[in-house]
């Protein structure tokens, strides 16, 4: 394996909190800090594609993600993505890209809150991408799912298999 590419797109994973206004906003990706915190020894290249909430993601944003994945030389790609439309994006990627291993992951709680699941989800994605077969997957909460057999259970705040 040459390297693992990580594309950052925003989502709760990278949101920050403005203590004065009480609003969440985007400044920069936290992936670099998380890899350092986790003492990662993997060869990783990071590229920020956008910093947006996935509910605001447009078709042209998704086309950019697909095109970047197609153009990427490595066959192992992780995409940090908002959880609300992660399944939708994964389906579009799967319809357009074959022979690469692509994992989408995110967080239910912003990294900056300290109690986030983001570090665990990123670590899981980095582990899974090294051992699973080519295809498109979502990884959350220590599990990975095929893109076409997963949904976000909004009542429990977790991803689950459809069947």
């Amino acid at each position: 394996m040459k390297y693992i590419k990580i594309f950052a797109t925003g989502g709760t994973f990278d949101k920050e909190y403005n203590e004065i206004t009480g609003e969440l906003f985007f400044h920069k990706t936290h992936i670099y800090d998380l890899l350092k915190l986790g003492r990662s020894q993997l060869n990783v290249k990071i590229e920020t594609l956008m910093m947006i909430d996935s509910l605001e993601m447009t078709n042209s944003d998704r086309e950019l993600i697909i095109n970047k994945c197609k153009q990427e030389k490595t066959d192992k790609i992780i995409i940090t993505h908002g959880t609300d439309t992660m399944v939708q994006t994964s389906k579009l990627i799967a319809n357009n890209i074959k022979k690469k291993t692509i994992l989408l992951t995110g967080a239910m709680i912003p990294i900056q809150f300290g109690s986030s699941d983001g570090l665990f989800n990123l670590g899981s994605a980095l582990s899974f991408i090294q051992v699973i077969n080519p295809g498109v997957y979502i990884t959350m909460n220590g599990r990975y799912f095929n893109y076409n057999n997963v949904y976000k259970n909004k009542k429990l705040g977790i991803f689950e298999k459809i069947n």
Side-chain angles (χ1 to χ4, degrees):
M1 174 177 52
K2 298 179 263 184
Y3 60 91
I4 298 168
K5 183 68 173 219
I6 302 177
F7 288 126
T9 68
T12 299
F13 192 93
D14 279 321
K15 285 186 178 176
E16 297 192 32
Y17 180 69
N18 182 322
E19 295 175 8
I20 296 171
T21 65
E23 296 176 336
L24 295 173
F25 68 98
F26 294 101
H27 175 62
K28 63 177 184 164
T29 186
H30 301 293
I31 296 170
Y32 298 97
D33 296 331
L34 294 176
L35 292 174
K36 184 177 179 182
L37 181 64
R39 301 178 67 198
S40 175
Q41 299 298 302
L42 297 173
N43 185 5
V44 174
K45 295 184 180 182
I46 303 165
E47 182 178 345
T48 300
L49 300 183
M50 60 198 75
M51 284 281 116
I52 60 174
D53 188 293
S54 72
L55 291 173
E56 297 173 5
M57 195 173 277
T58 65
N59 288 337
S60 60
D61 293 326
R62 288 186 176 87
E63 286 177 29
L64 172 65
I65 294 168
I66 290 166
N67 287 333
K68 285 289 193 172
C69 288
K70 283 181 180 178
Q71 295 166 6
E72 184 53 51
K73 292 178 183 170
T74 189
D75 62 349
K76 305 223 181 274
I77 301 169
I78 295 171
I79 302 168
T80 60
H81 193 289
T83 60
D84 287 316
T85 66
M86 188 182 288
V87 173
Q88 178 184 348
T89 301
S90 70
K91 289 178 181 177
L92 290 172
I93 293 169
N95 287 338
N96 286 279
I97 299 173
K98 311 295 182 211
K99 298 183 182 177
K100 289 189 179 190
T101 307
I102 301 174
L103 281 169
L104 287 82
T105 194
M108 298 294 202
I109 301 166
I111 299 295
Q112 289 293 302
F113 282 24
S115 60
S116 176
D117 53 335
L119 178 60
F120 183 72
N121 292 336
L122 180 61
S124 295
L126 287 165
S127 294
F128 286 135
I129 201 145
Q130 295 177 72
V131 297
I132 59 177
N133 293 325
V136 179
Y137 306 89
I138 288 175
T139 182
M140 295 286 291
N141 314 111
R143 301 176 69 192
Y144 74 91
F145 307 90
N146 290 317
Y147 75 93
N148 60 355
N149 193 26
V150 64
Y151 76 103
K152 179 180 176 180
N153 183 328
K154 293 182 180 184
K155 289 182 182 177
L156 297 177
I158 61 173
F159 280 74
E160 296 180 318
K161 283 187 177 181
I162 292 173
N163 299 326

